[in-house]
Amino acid sequence: MSGVIYDRVALIGLGLIASSMYWAIKRAGLAGEVTGYARSQETRGTARRIGLCDRVCDSVAEAVKDADLVVLAVPVGAMEEVARAIGPHLKPGATVTDVGSVKRAVIQSVAPHLPDGVHFVPGHPLAGTEHSGPESGFAELFEDRWCMLVPVDNTDEAAIARLKSLWQGFGSNVEIMDSDHHDLVLAVTSHAPHLIAYTMVGVADDLRRVTDREVVQYSAAGFRDFTRIAASDPTMWRDVFLNNRDATLEILGRFTEELFALQRAIRRGDGDHLHDYFTRTRAIRRSIIEAGQDTDAPDFGRKKTPR
Ligand SMILES: NC(=O)c1ccc[n+]([C@@H]2O[C@H](COP(=O)([O-])OP(=O)(O)OC[C@H]3O[C@@H](n4cnc5c(N)ncnc54)[C@H](O)[C@@H]3O)[C@@H](O)[C@H]2O)c1
Ligand SMILES: O=C(O)C(=O)C[C@]1(C(=O)O)C=C[C@@H](O)C=C1
């Protein structure tokens, strides 16, 4: 897929996702000019130094002026503040999207600040790494990954189709989903697993073992993956849990019940229970691989490729 889809794109928040979008846009020539804005002067300075964005602006108003697409790529808890700031400066007919990991709370906080005549098409790429900031992005991040679009009622179909073609231009598969379903699915596949990884690394740290030379040197693959995930940005993940509270608590409740059952089986020496359980989970992994959905594992820790 190639060809200009938007004449002007504004990226607000110049971290992992926005910088990856910029490099992916440039690689495929999907936009004319791309402007960028980040809150801190330091981030804007870094962006200028590494050539991230065609023009880095010192105000959010300047960045979104005349933009056909505005991408909100800030932590979920900062979305409302940014939406309030850009609202009065948006071009009529522009599309606003976001890349937040939670959808219902973002829609509730952003939509009221957007003027009539502006299309709001919330989104969420299911792709990331444990790294953050303007220097962490790379053009291939979204390749062969899913991007969820979560349009609100009566959204202009042409605006949705245009944004869909941008994500397809990044090499992503696009799925349309409603916000509550999105938040429940992500609580299972992303949010609860992150909390479990944070907890496991915290437990090891409480035992004062996590930085022991032996633990680092001989750490098993499972624990290494936990430490990678637990190195993810604290602000981003604080906001995810505060804003997807109900779905995450629902899944963690179920998780705790299963964990107790496994704990009891271990205490009682109930090998059949453990074996049956692990047989069921192994079958799930195999069905994912057979369905060709195993895009994650080989990419863990993959290196940034040249832009
Ligand atoms: N990291 C991931 O794996 C991942 C994956 C998919 C979606 N997301 C979502 O994408 C969004 C961005 O995540 P990221 O990983 O790119 O984060 P990041 O920490 O790399 O970048 C966030 C950027 O937003 C800026 N920022 C923070 N508050 C701001 C404000 N009020 N105004 C302007 N700029 C502000 C920060 O300075 C930073 O440059 C989040 O909502 C996150 O939930 C992240
Ligand atoms: O690979 C990683 O580092 C990620 O955690 C990426 C991941 C995920 O859970 O899959 C994290 C949060 C997002 O909202 C989407 C993707």
Side-chain angles (χ1 to χ4, degrees):
M1 176 103 200
S2 61
V4 171
I5 297 170
Y6 295 98
D7 286 336
R8 288 198 55 188
V9 173
L11 301 172
I12 310 302
L14 298 175
L16 170 71
I17 300 298
S19 58
S20 297
M21 290 180 77
Y22 177 72
W23 301 121
I25 285 172
K26 286 292 140 180
R27 185 181 59 167
L30 300 173
E33 188 189 39
V34 181
T35 56
Y37 170 79
R39 187 182 42 169
S40 89
Q41 203 175 355
E42 189 189 342
T43 304
R44 297 196 298 270
T46 304
R48 287 184 180 115
R49 179 172 55 76
I50 66 172
L52 174 66
C53 293
D54 301 321
R55 192 157 50 89
V56 176
C57 303
D58 288 322
S59 80
V60 77
E62 188 191 342
V64 303
K65 187 172 180 290
D66 295 328
D68 303 291
L69 176 70
V70 176
V71 182
L72 309 183
V74 297
V76 165
M79 294 283 181
E80 178 163 20
E81 177 194 331
V82 173
R84 186 183 290 118
I86 63 171
H89 308 286
L90 294 167
K91 173 168 118 172
T95 293
V96 173
T97 189
D98 76 292
V99 293
S101 304
V102 174
K103 293 279 55 92
R104 187 172 54 164
V106 168
I107 291 168
Q108 283 171 350
S109 59
V110 170
H113 300 288
L114 304 183
D116 289 345
V118 164
H119 310 294
F120 182 33
V121 187
H124 179 204
L126 304 189
T129 73
E130 70 277 27
H131 302 297
S132 54
E135 294 181 277
S136 58
F138 53 103
E140 301 83 358
L141 178 65
F142 309 113
E143 275 175 16
D144 300 321
R145 298 304 179 107
W146 286 99
C147 180
M148 302 298 177
L149 294 185
V150 183
V152 285
D153 291 344
N154 306 320
T155 308
D156 181 56
E157 289 296 333
I160 300 171
R162 205 166 165 200
L163 185 61
K164 183 176 173 181
S165 58
L166 182 76
W167 283 102
Q168 288 171 332
F170 296 162
S172 297
N173 302 307
V174 177
E175 182 73 48
I176 308 282
M177 209 179 252
D178 80 66
S179 60
D180 285 356
H181 190 58
H182 168 279
D183 289 356
L184 185 63
V185 169
L186 267 291
V188 178
T189 59
S190 176
H191 305 167
H194 271 78
L195 199 73
I196 292 161
Y198 279 121
T199 313
M200 201 53 235
V201 176
V203 167
D205 190 40
D206 283 347
L207 295 173
R208 297 275 176 263
R209 300 307 305 251
V210 76
T211 52
D212 280 7
R213 199 179 64 81
E214 292 85 358
V215 173
V216 174
Q217 190 168 338
Y218 304 124
S219 71
F223 187 68
R224 260 175 208 258
D225 285 347
F226 277 151
T227 60
R228 185 190 76 78
I229 290 170
S232 300
D233 186 67
T235 304
M236 169 185 158
W237 284 98
R238 176 202 63 194
D239 286 1
V240 166
F241 294 117
L242 294 179
N243 287 281
N244 196 19
R245 195 180 55 174
D246 294 350
T248 307
L249 290 178
E250 158 78 18
I251 299 308
L252 288 173
R254 288 166 186 256
F255 174 82
T256 312
E257 284 175 23
E258 302 271 317
L259 189 65
F260 279 148
L262 290 170
Q263 215 174 319
R264 195 174 54 227
I266 293 170
R267 189 181 305 110
R268 290 180 176 172
D270 185 350
D272 287 348
H273 182 97
L274 296 173
H275 194 271
D276 289 352
Y277 201 92
F278 302 154
T279 303
R280 183 156 67 91
T281 55
R282 173 190 255 186
I284 292 167
R285 168 73 184 170
R286 288 185 172 166
S287 69
I288 290 172
I289 292 170
E290 275 158 26
Q293 299 288 314
D294 179 31
T295 55
D296 283 341
D299 293 343
F300 271 11
R302 68 181 162 169
K303 295 264 186 309
K304 231 163 70 162
T305 52
R307 294 165 188 133

